[in-house]
């Protein structure tokens, strides 16, 4: 049976058609880099303290001491002030703070009149607009988590929609959702409205990414497909990520910034007339003439001659018969071997996602300029993707994953040993930590797809991806721990990453081995369970002899 790649091999690997699809689909992912990390600036928390209204009857001396100092660092409190009625009474009596009255003994109160926010870095954010600080600071991580919850929901439905309506239609429909609801978000009148719209934007963001990924994987040839899946989508996402701090540096108002970040999505509209539908999906729907028409247009673009008949009838019948056999998610637990692989896959994607998004979202808490720090955290992803690609081409999957995870985890753990005044060294260690976690993240897609047999490969990768989305929902709360101890997020993320680097050694090796086709061909997991399974297999073979 001649498969799709063989039937279209006359096109070549890197003709004009493939290059056009490669770069345009990769470019369509750039806005995902904007939306995925924009919350760092949209929901940034400037320096703030309680507002002391001008109507308060206070002398200049009493106004200067109206905000208590924190015991741990001597900085002004962000959430408390001395009771203004008491201060006004002392001021009216002509008493002098510190001389006639011991200020520290005066009763305190919450910020009843709101807050004053520093405008050194930001003119406005959603935090300053709706006072998401102090007793309302729980809304900050929840805002980010709801965006990633939308990503989780989108990953649930994007695959089914793409299978039912086509890769191209869902790609552009979800780009429209991402862009359209981001524009509506600019006009939010409350935090509740902003977060609901943010959730919908998250649904469009992941659906757009997945649709572009699948479409490119199905249109491109085998060698082009590997580069597209590792370098194309990942690096263009990183480009969008790197452009984010550039936009944020020049635009300090959150509404204007969001509108500017949304505009590039409109530039993708002309791609509708350039990017074709997936011929493989059209064949699965019985639309053979349309699939052949696309292949012939590709041949014309590549200046090659297409055969008179591209897809033979007997090949299509065989293809359809294979499509009829369906598998369910229960098959991921069918045997002891596949069950352990699934459990390890869930933990792998969950922990990598917590590390990646936790480090990324914690960037504003690093010492130094947040715009430069964000750019550096984005830029480090480019070499990490290249290294991951090289490792996938040359070395063992298990040891490559273990090495990159171990590097990332150890760097994050060692940050606590760096003296507090060596801020540059701390930032470098965080960057190296993210380098390792990002490289492991990009390799996880390829490794997971190689572990699962063909009949349940999509479901296996889907379960891993779902686990990743759960990790992204949790990650903002790791960042939230920074309020209690600045090193605590790194200690937790580093510990989990190091543990996972050890667990990944229990995965079977897939480098240089043929992909399994059936559940029975799934490679054995390293460990006691599989020794027992191998022993049973030996006994069965001996009995047959």
């Amino acid at each position: 049976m001649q498969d799709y790649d063989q039937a279209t091999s006359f096109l070549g690997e890197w003709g004009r058609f493939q290059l056009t699809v490669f770069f345009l689909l990769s470019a369509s992912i750039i806005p995902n880099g904007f939306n995925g990390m924009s919350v760092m600036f949209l929901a940034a928390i400037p320096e703030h303290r309680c507002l002391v209204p001008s109507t308060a009857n206070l002398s200049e001396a009493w106004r200067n001491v109206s905000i208590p100092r924190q015991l741990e660092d001597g900085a002004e409190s962000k959430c408390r002030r001395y009771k203004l009625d008491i201060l006004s009474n002392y001021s009216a009596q002509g008493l002098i703070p510190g001389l006639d009255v011991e200020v520290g003994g005066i009763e305190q109160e919450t910020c009843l009149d709101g807050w004053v926010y520093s405008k050194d870095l930001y003119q406005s954010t959603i935090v300053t607009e709706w006072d998401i600080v102090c007793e309302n600071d729980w809304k900050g991580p929840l805002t980010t988590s709801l965006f990633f919850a939308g990503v989780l929901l989108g990953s649930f439905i994007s695959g089914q929609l793409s299978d039912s309506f086509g890769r191209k239609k869902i790609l552009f429909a979800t780009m429209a959702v991402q862009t359209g609801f981001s524009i509506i978000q600019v006009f939010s009148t409350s935090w509740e409205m902003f977060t609901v719209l943010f959730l919908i934007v998250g649904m469009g963001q992941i659906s757009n990414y997945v649709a572009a990924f699948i479409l490119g994987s199905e249109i491109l040839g085998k060698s082009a497909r590997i580069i597209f899946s590792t370098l194309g989508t990942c690096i263009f996402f990183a480009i969008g990520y790197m452009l984010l701090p550039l936009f944020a540096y020049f635009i300090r108002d959150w509404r204007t910034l969001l509108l500017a970040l949304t505009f590039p999505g409109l530039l993708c509209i002309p791609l509708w007339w350039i990017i074709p539908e997936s011929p493989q999906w059209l064949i699965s729907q019985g639309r053979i003439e349309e699939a052949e028409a696309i292949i012939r247009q590709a041949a014309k673009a590549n200046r090659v001659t297409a055969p008179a008949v591209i897809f033979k009838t007997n090949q299509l019948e065989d293809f359809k018969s294979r499509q009829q056999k369906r598998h369910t998610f229960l098959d991921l637990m069918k045997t002891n071997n596949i069950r352990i692989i699934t459990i390890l896959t869930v933990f792998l994607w969950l922990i990598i996602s917590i590390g990646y998004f936790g480090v990324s979202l914690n960037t504003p808490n690093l010492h130094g300029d947040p715009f430069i720090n964000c750019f550096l955290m984005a830029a480090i992803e480019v070499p990490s993707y290249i290294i991951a690609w090289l490792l996938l081409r040359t070395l063992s999957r298990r040891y490559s994953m273990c090495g990159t995870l171990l590097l990332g985890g150890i760097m994050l753990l060692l940050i606590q040993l760096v003296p507090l005044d060596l801020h540059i060294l701390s930032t470098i260690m965080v960057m190296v930590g993210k380098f390792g976690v990002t490289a492991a993240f990009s390799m996880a897609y390829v490794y997971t797809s190689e572990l699962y047999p063909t009949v349940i490969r999509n479901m296996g990768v889907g379960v891993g991806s779902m686990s990743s989305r759960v990790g992204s929902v949790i990650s903002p709360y790791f960042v939230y721990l920074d309020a209690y101890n600045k090193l605590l997020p790194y200690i937790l993320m580093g510990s989990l990453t190091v543990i996972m680097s050890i667990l990944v050694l229990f995965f079977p090796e897939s480098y240089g081995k043929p992909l399994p086709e059936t559940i029975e061909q799934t490679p054995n997991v390293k460990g006691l369970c599989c020794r027992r399974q191998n022993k049973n297999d030996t006994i069965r073979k001996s009995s047959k002899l």
Side-chain angles (χ1 to χ4, degrees):
M1 162 64 186
Q2 185 184 37
D3 62 17
Y4 175 84
D5 286 333
Q6 290 175 321
T8 58
S9 60
F10 65 90
L11 291 175
E13 289 291 338
W14 284 108
R16 180 181 174 185
F17 173 76
Q18 289 92 339
L19 288 171
T20 301
V21 171
F22 180 95
F23 285 107
L24 291 182
L25 281 178
S26 297
S28 74
I29 292 173
I30 291 178
N32 292 65
F34 294 154
N35 289 286
M37 299 298 173
S38 63
V39 70
M40 285 191 290
F41 298 106
L42 299 177
I45 306 174
E47 288 296 320
H48 55 279
R49 62 176 179 81
C50 289
L51 171 66
V52 178
S54 57
T55 55
N57 186 22
L58 296 177
S59 65
E60 189 64 26
W62 282 104
R63 185 175 292 275
N64 290 337
V65 298
S66 59
I67 307 298
R69 297 279 176 176
Q70 298 175 348
L71 295 178
E72 56 271 19
D73 56 8
E76 288 186 329
S77 173
K78 298 179 179 180
C79 302
R80 307 287 295 179
R81 70 185 185 189
Y82 293 117
K83 295 195 72 169
L84 295 188
D85 55 349
I86 297 177
L87 299 186
S88 298
N89 185 35
Y90 288 145
S91 180
Q93 297 179 40
L95 301 178
I96 300 175
L99 182 62
D100 300 324
V101 178
E102 183 59 43
V103 179
I106 301 175
E107 189 178 350
Q108 299 180 14
E109 61 185 4
T110 58
C111 302
L112 302 177
D113 297 294
W115 289 261
V116 175
Y117 297 95
S118 169
K119 293 192 176 183
D120 291 341
L121 289 176
Y122 310 101
Q123 287 298 310
S124 71
T125 68
I126 66 168
V127 171
T128 64
E129 177 123 0
W130 295 304
D131 289 332
I132 307 176
V133 291
C134 298
E135 63 268 17
N136 289 322
D137 62 355
W138 56 272
K139 293 181 179 180
L142 182 59
T143 301
T144 308
S145 288
L146 285 174
F147 171 80
F148 288 119
V151 171
L152 177 61
L153 292 174
S155 62
F156 268 115
I157 64 174
S158 60
Q160 291 85 342
L161 291 176
S162 182
D163 288 340
S164 300
F165 299 101
R167 315 320 192 193
K168 179 179 176 179
K169 288 182 180 178
I170 297 306
L171 169 64
F172 285 92
T174 51
M175 281 197 292
V177 168
Q178 178 177 280
T179 303
F181 280 91
S182 291
I183 293 174
I184 299 173
Q185 209 177 4
V186 172
F187 303 98
S188 298
T189 58
S190 66
W191 172 77
E192 290 79 8
M193 178 180 176
F194 179 91
T195 50
V196 170
L197 292 172
F198 213 21
L199 184 144
I200 299 173
V201 170
M203 292 176 63
Q205 196 241 19
I206 186 59
S207 301
N208 161 32
Y209 187 95
V210 171
F213 181 85
I214 295 174
L215 182 57
S217 298
E218 291 181 348
I219 292 179
L220 298 173
K222 188 173 295 183
S223 63
R225 185 181 304 143
I226 294 173
I227 297 177
F228 174 77
S229 302
T230 53
L231 297 184
T233 56
C234 294
I235 288 184
F236 276 79
F237 177 89
I239 290 173
Y241 189 0
M242 285 189 284
L243 290 174
L244 170 63
L246 183 65
F247 277 86
Y249 179 81
F250 290 104
I251 306 173
R252 306 296 179 97
D253 171 70
W254 77 266
R255 292 183 190 270
T256 310
L257 173 62
L258 182 55
L259 189 61
L261 294 177
T262 303
F263 176 74
L266 299 175
L267 300 179
C268 294
I269 294 176
L271 301 185
W272 171 265
W273 290 275
I274 303 175
I275 296 175
E277 180 56 271
S278 164
Q280 290 196 55
W281 179 81
L282 291 171
I283 293 172
S284 71
Q285 303 298 306
R287 296 158 63 177
I288 312 304
E289 295 79 6
E290 295 177 54
E292 285 208 356
I294 292 173
I295 299 301
R296 293 188 188 282
Q297 289 177 356
K300 185 178 179 181
N302 287 357
R303 297 179 181 178
V304 297
T305 302
V309 178
I310 299 176
F311 303 111
K312 297 178 182 178
T313 306
N314 62 328
Q315 295 174 353
L316 299 174
E317 292 297 328
D318 185 73
F319 178 82
K320 291 178 181 178
S321 65
R322 286 186 296 159
Q323 289 290 101
Q324 289 175 355
K325 186 176 181 181
R326 302 293 181 182
H327 291 267
T328 67
F329 280 97
L330 294 177
D331 290 311
L332 296 175
M333 296 289 179
K334 189 172 183 178
T335 66
N336 193 43
N337 197 32
I338 200 75
R339 188 182 306 121
I340 295 175
I341 288 178
T342 299
I343 293 172
L344 288 175
T345 297
V346 168
F347 280 110
L348 174 67
W349 285 74
L350 178 71
I351 291 174
I352 289 179
S353 181
I354 289 175
Y356 175 81
F357 288 102
V359 172
S360 300
L361 296 173
N362 199 47
T363 301
N365 295 325
L366 293 174
H367 181 80
D369 189 294
F371 306 102
I372 295 177
N373 289 338
C374 180
F375 177 81
L376 293 175
M377 290 298 165
I380 197 65
E381 294 196 5
V382 175
S384 71
Y385 293 136
I386 295 174
I387 291 296
W389 177 61
L390 293 174
L391 290 174
L392 288 172
R393 285 169 55 92
T394 57
L395 296 178
S396 158
R397 304 289 192 252
R398 288 190 302 137
Y399 295 131
S400 297
M401 291 283 290
C402 175
T404 52
L405 285 171
L406 195 61
L407 172 65
I410 289 177
M411 285 297 106
L412 296 179
L413 281 175
L414 291 180
I415 291 174
Q416 60 186 307
L417 303 179
V418 177
L420 295 177
D421 56 333
L422 298 180
H423 303 298
I424 296 178
L425 179 59
S426 297
T427 302
I428 291 174
M429 293 180 71
V430 173
M431 289 178 62
V432 175
K434 189 180 181 186
F435 172 90
V437 173
T438 302
F441 208 163
S442 63
M443 287 190 287
Y445 282 91
V446 176
Y447 193 18
T448 303
S449 66
E450 291 177 345
L451 290 175
Y452 283 97
T454 302
V455 293
I456 56 172
R457 184 167 294 128
N458 284 342
M459 287 185 285
V461 176
V463 165
S465 181
M466 296 290 180
S467 305
S468 168
R469 308 311 166 198
V470 173
S472 64
V473 172
I474 298 172
S475 61
Y477 292 95
F478 277 75
V479 179
Y480 185 65
L481 295 174
D482 177 88
Y484 301 96
N485 186 308
K486 289 190 175 297
L487 297 176
L488 189 55
Y490 294 120
I491 293 173
L492 291 176
M493 290 185 291
S495 300
L496 289 173
T497 304
V498 168
I499 292 171
M500 195 63 240
S501 71
I502 299 172
L503 290 178
V504 79
L505 294 175
F506 289 91
F507 276 111
E509 184 52 64
S510 62
Y511 175 67
K513 297 181 180 180
L515 294 177
E517 294 289 337
T518 65
I519 294 177
E520 290 72 22
Q521 294 175 357
T522 304
N524 290 330
V525 177
K526 306 294 181 183
L528 295 176
C529 67
C530 297
R531 291 177 189 171
R532 184 170 60 251
Q533 180 177 333
N534 292 337
K535 183 178 179 181
N536 293 336
D537 290 342
T538 303
I539 293 173
R540 281 196 296 270
K541 290 178 181 178
S542 300
S543 63
K544 289 181 180 179
L545 295 174

